[in-house]
Amino acid sequence: MLVTGFPAGMFQTNCYILAQDDARECVVVDPGQDAAEPLFEFLAKSTLTPTAVLLTHGHLDHVWNAYDVCEKFGIPAYIHPEDRYMLSDPGRGIGPTMQPFIAGLDFIEPKEVIELADGDSIERAGISFAVDHTPGHTQGSVVFRTRVEGENGPLDIALTGDTLFQGSIGRSDLPGGNHEQLLQSIADKLLILGDETAVLPGHGGSSSIGAERKSNPFLAGLSGSK
């Protein structure tokens, strides 16, 4: 399976593309600010066509180009209902200090939006994704999990958005954020995963559950048996 991505925009938000080997279809995760142009260039060169946009949460730096991608390919966006309002009104999710940054800009919800629920299973482009609701960074944050065939056998992947980073966790000081809830989500939904599970976060480099369990200072004392 192809799993690739690139950081985009002033927030350097990771946009991911996943596709089965030799497939013509793919899934796009979190096309944020300035992600559309490099994404379209990559898709044209690789002859891949997206079948869905998956959104880990509704913050502007993750959904900025969702409408453009969905409109170009006529595909749906998946998002948790708690964060859906940010697709058309992102200012409500970023707080008053950042709202002037988007003053005068219009944001439109994609024509087809499919709401996610905890425990959902999504089948797109021949890939199966499990959905875990992980509120705390936002109330509608989710993690998408899938399994890929690697050189050394099957590998579980968790696309964690802004819930868990390499060596850190998501902020909880924006509207809808809750620090204790975020830690509980990580303990309940991520620390129960195997150590080899790859962590593909919304910002920064990749990691693994084992590495974060061992060295992430924000996770000290959190329970989560494998």
Side-chain angles (χ1 to χ4, degrees):
M1 183 186 292
L2 167 72
V3 182
T4 189
F6 58 89
M10 66 177 295
F11 303 101
Q12 290 293 279
T13 303
N14 291 327
C15 176
Y16 294 101
I17 305 101
L18 295 89
Q20 295 284 15
D21 290 339
D22 301 320
R24 295 285 183 173
E25 297 180 330
C26 67
V27 172
V28 174
V29 180
D30 287 355
Q33 183 197 31
D34 294 337
E37 184 175 346
L39 174 63
F40 295 159
E41 290 178 359
F42 173 85
L43 295 173
K45 292 178 181 178
S46 64
T47 68
L48 288 169
T49 301
T51 64
V53 168
L54 306 185
L55 301 170
T56 60
H57 63 290
H59 278 161
L60 185 60
D61 57 323
H62 290 254
V63 307
W64 193 304
N65 280 165
Y67 175 84
D68 301 292
V69 179
C70 292
E71 181 74 6
K72 181 176 178 65
F73 295 101
I75 59 177
Y78 288 76
I79 193 168
H80 192 276
E82 292 278 2
D83 278 13
R84 181 172 179 172
Y85 70 92
M86 286 187 263
L87 292 173
S88 57
D89 190 7
R92 289 173 56 195
I94 59 178
T97 59
M98 294 184 65
Q99 286 180 4
F101 174 70
I102 59 171
L105 299 178
D106 292 323
F107 293 89
I108 306 171
E109 180 176 287
K111 291 180 181 178
E112 183 180 3
V113 176
I114 299 175
E115 295 187 348
L116 299 166
D118 187 50
D120 277 355
S121 179
I122 301 170
E123 298 282 343
R124 285 285 181 168
I127 306 171
S128 177
F129 295 91
V131 179
D132 294 318
H133 184 210
T134 56
H137 176 63
T138 66
Q139 287 306 295
S141 288
V142 300
V143 167
F144 297 106
R145 291 184 291 109
T146 190
R147 173 170 288 190
V148 303
E149 289 295 330
E151 294 180 357
N152 300 315
L155 175 66
D156 291 321
I157 290 176
L159 295 134
T160 59
D162 287 3
T163 294
L164 179 64
F165 301 125
Q166 182 185 63
S168 188
I169 62 174
R171 63 189 295 182
S172 54
D173 59 331
L174 295 175
N178 183 308
H179 181 71
E180 294 303 320
Q181 189 181 38
L182 174 60
L183 292 177
Q184 194 63 54
S185 290
I186 293 171
D188 292 345
K189 297 299 178 66
L190 292 175
L191 292 186
I192 63 170
L193 303 176
D195 282 348
E196 298 303 314
T197 303
V199 173
L200 302 184
H203 304 269
S206 61
S207 185
S208 69
I209 292 296
E212 298 313 303
R213 194 195 312 274
K214 180 179 180 180
S215 62
N216 191 318
F218 294 92
L219 307 188
L222 284 185
S223 62
S225 59
K226 293 182 291 182

